Amino acid sequence: MTRLISSNSGLTIYPAPSDEDLSKDYRLEVNGKAVDIYLAQIAAIENRPPWTLDPKDVGGPYSFSYFDFSGSVTIKVSALNTSFDQVVIRPLSAGIKPVIEGNTLTFSIDRPCKLSIEPNGRREPLLIFANPLEIDPPKIDDPDVIYYGPGIHKPEKIILKTGQTLYIAGGAVVKSGVAVSGKNIKIKGRGILCGNDWEWKKGPGNMIGIRDAENVSIEGIILRGSWSWTIPMYNSKGVNITNVKMVCSKNPNDDGINPCNSQDVYIGDCFIRTDDDCIAMKGITLGSANDNVENIVVENCILWSDRARVFLLGHESRAPYMRHITLSDLEIIHFNMSPFLFEPGEEMSIENVRVENVRLYADYPKQNGERTFEWIRLKPTVNQYMKRQVPGRMRNLYFKNLALTGEAREGWYYIWITGADEAHQVTDVTLENITWFGERLDENSLQVKIGDFTNGVKFRR
């Protein structure tokens, strides 16, 4: 494996393939060593359906880079085509306070992190993925390992079966879809799984499609330019997705992660930028031993949706239950439609959901990308995605420590809770310490709308 190791062995830099088109907007150094910067595409206007956002709302191609380290490193970023006068480094919880000299900023980090360096908001940022050092990568001659070393590869379609591992090394760009089915399957590495060569809905399956699988782990890699749903899983159990970075928004319908009729799913320490929903849970099919969507945990993630929702629960709602779901310790750094949209139909019951410790940043006053009227919508519904045209229901939902930040806009970003009818209600919803641009909300707040067919909706300070 081609690596550049710093003198103290606490830094691993992976040179990009020689044929890779690199960013001309930034220059990056870590401990004085140059780090290559890649590009992620935003689709051109003529390639997007009319119902999508105009690309001018979200900017053009953006930049990203990655390296591994331990201890402490100093990062130096130079902007080649813009100014750092108004730069913001997200998530704000990272507490990065750079020293800025002209068009160069410098700061240090002492733990792995994922950062968005934003001179102009969501337009053409530089994403930095600072990984922990890689431990015990698989051997290239292991018969159960499909191994891609540094360079550009185009296998088109990779099929993973029971006991196999797909390894994408740092410095590798693998242009392919991946089909996963079976048990005890791993996808790992530091390199890039790339969909740039395929147009909308014309790629080989999904970037990582998981079907009828059990005990699957995906760790460390970057997924770029998905042509459709990025990581959907169907009728699967025991899926762990950690330290995965998605640099998408090249195409519509590029949902980040879709647990469909699946159970025991863990999503942690990920960065997800998509055009469509970041995480959408659905009950698409019936007929397996367990059709429910349940025991789902999403935590310690940074989320960014350019056009659609951050969390969508429902819509394709054929499963009887969507339940036992925890969404916690999240940074939603950019969004457009309702970040939390729970809309069950087809008699599905969404229940036992806990959403806790979430910071959301709204930047509508500066940019036209944010244009939603609600930030939480709990509403059983009927829509075109449902086979049975009847609503669902919800019960036992708990929201705690949610803070909507940025610049307030009068009449925007409501909490809307309403049932559909007597048989399809929303019951037992608790909202504790919910703040709207610094204002703590309660049932009398102008930003709270509680409709009919609700019971047990209460606010706590």
Side-chain angles (χ1 to χ4, degrees):
M1 181 183 297
T2 302
R3 298 183 178 186
L4 174 62
I5 310 295
S6 72
S7 58
N8 62 9
S9 297
L11 174 64
T12 307
I13 296 171
Y14 305 95
S18 58
D19 293 337
E20 180 71 19
D21 186 20
L22 299 179
S23 173
K24 297 178 177 60
D25 292 330
Y26 300 95
R27 185 166 56 245
L28 173 65
E29 294 180 1
V30 180
N31 283 358
K33 301 181 184 300
V35 179
D36 288 330
I37 302 176
Y38 295 78
L39 283 172
Q41 295 182 15
I42 296 289
I45 294 174
E46 61 269 21
N47 294 331
R48 298 175 74 93
W51 40 265
T52 65
L53 286 179
D54 191 316
K56 69 177 174 26
D57 289 333
V58 294
Y62 58 100
S63 305
F64 69 95
S65 61
Y66 66 97
F67 58 89
D68 301 350
F69 81 107
S70 64
S72 177
V73 294
T74 297
I75 295 174
K76 181 178 179 180
V77 179
S78 298
L80 306 181
N81 299 304
T82 190
S83 167
F84 281 143
D85 291 347
Q86 303 296 322
V87 69
V88 177
I89 300 179
R90 304 193 187 283
L92 297 180
S93 61
I96 303 296
K97 299 184 184 302
V99 175
I100 301 175
E101 297 179 341
N103 286 351
T104 297
L105 59 81
T106 305
F107 60 92
S108 295
I109 57 173
D110 59 8
R111 61 179 63 88
C113 58
K114 299 163 181 64
L115 303 173
S116 180
I117 313 296
E118 302 182 1
N120 302 297
R122 67 169 69 201
R123 293 174 173 81
E124 293 90 42
L126 167 62
L127 308 179
I128 297 176
F129 303 132
N131 298 299
L133 294 175
E134 192 175 23
I135 299 173
D136 296 328
K139 301 293 189 293
I140 192 170
D141 57 353
D142 187 325
D144 292 323
V145 174
I146 300 173
Y147 194 107
Y148 291 97
I152 295 178
H153 313 267
K154 193 171 182 179
E156 299 276 350
K157 186 70 171 287
I158 300 168
I159 297 175
L160 293 179
K161 298 181 179 179
T162 294
Q164 289 189 308
T165 295
L166 169 62
Y167 182 71
I168 303 175
V173 175
V174 178
K175 300 180 178 183
S176 184
V178 181
V180 176
S181 183
K183 296 182 178 181
N184 305 321
I185 297 169
K186 297 179 181 179
I187 301 172
K188 61 187 303 185
R190 290 292 187 265
I192 300 170
L193 184 65
C194 181
N196 281 358
D197 285 7
W198 289 279
E199 297 179 4
W200 178 43
K201 294 185 177 181
K202 293 184 178 180
N206 298 100
M207 291 202 75
I208 302 178
I210 304 170
R211 291 182 181 272
D212 303 311
E214 185 173 346
N215 192 20
V216 175
S217 66
I218 308 171
E219 185 272 327
I221 65 171
I222 297 170
L223 294 94
R224 174 174 65 177
S226 182
W227 55 83
S228 62
W229 291 7
T230 307
I231 307 181
M233 61 195 77
Y234 305 91
N235 304 111
S236 295
K237 183 176 182 179
V239 179
N240 286 269
I241 303 173
T242 57
N243 190 26
V244 166
K245 288 77 65 172
M246 297 187 188
V247 287
C248 296
S249 275
K250 173 180 177 285
N251 291 300
N253 306 118
D254 65 345
D255 295 19
I257 303 174
N258 296 74
C260 304
N261 306 97
S262 295
Q263 307 85 41
D264 304 328
V265 177
Y266 177 81
I267 303 165
D269 189 27
C270 292
F271 179 99
I272 301 175
R273 180 179 179 179
T274 54
D275 176 87
D276 212 328
D277 310 322
C278 290
I279 297 176
M281 305 180 197
K282 301 183 179 185
I284 292 178
T285 61
L286 296 175
S288 67
N290 184 354
D291 293 318
N292 297 326
V293 181
E294 57 188 352
N295 301 327
I296 314 291
V297 174
V298 183
E299 65 180 10
N300 298 314
C301 292
I302 300 170
L303 305 165
W304 175 339
S305 174
D306 280 312
R307 178 181 56 84
R309 290 65 51 123
V310 177
F311 289 97
L312 170 64
L313 276 62
H315 284 201
E316 287 95 341
S317 300
R318 263 127 267 164
Y321 292 98
M322 185 173 288
R323 60 190 177 184
H324 311 313
I325 295 166
T326 300
L327 314 174
S328 67
D329 301 295
L330 306 170
E331 293 275 353
I332 298 174
I333 61 174
H334 296 288
F335 64 92
N336 181 50
M337 297 182 185
S338 303
F340 295 98
L341 184 69
F342 298 3
E343 289 191 333
E346 304 182 79
E347 302 290 359
M348 172 187 277
S349 179
I350 293 180
E351 54 188 60
N352 301 334
V353 178
R354 187 178 184 93
V355 182
E356 187 170 11
N357 301 332
V358 182
R359 185 204 299 262
L360 307 92
Y361 180 75
D363 58 0
Y364 181 94
K366 293 182 179 179
Q367 303 185 73
N368 293 328
E370 321 295 2
R371 57 179 187 179
T372 186
F373 284 99
E374 307 104 15
W375 59 301
I376 300 174
R377 183 195 297 184
L378 310 178
K379 181 180 182 293
T381 194
V382 172
N383 60 35
Q384 70 269 31
Y385 304 109
M386 297 174 183
K387 290 186 176 181
R388 289 196 298 162
Q389 295 289 295
V390 292
R393 56 187 61 81
M394 282 181 272
R395 73 175 187 90
N396 194 21
L397 310 179
Y398 189 81
F399 295 80
K400 181 180 180 181
N401 299 338
L402 273 65
L404 182 62
T405 63
E407 295 187 33
R409 179 176 171 84
E410 188 67 29
W412 283 66
Y413 308 117
Y414 289 101
I415 295 175
W416 185 22
I417 304 172
T418 185
D421 53 45
E422 288 288 351
H424 303 93
Q425 298 200 23
V426 179
T427 63
D428 300 321
V429 179
T430 300
L431 301 104
E432 180 176 349
N433 190 30
I434 311 299
T435 57
W436 182 88
F437 303 103
E439 173 189 341
R440 196 183 305 272
L441 299 181
D442 59 32
E443 59 273 14
N444 298 313
S445 299
L446 292 176
Q447 301 302 320
V448 175
K449 297 184 178 298
I450 301 175
D452 296 332
F453 309 114
T454 60
N455 184 44
V457 177
K458 50 186 177 291
F459 282 78
R460 293 178 180 170
R461 289 187 172 271

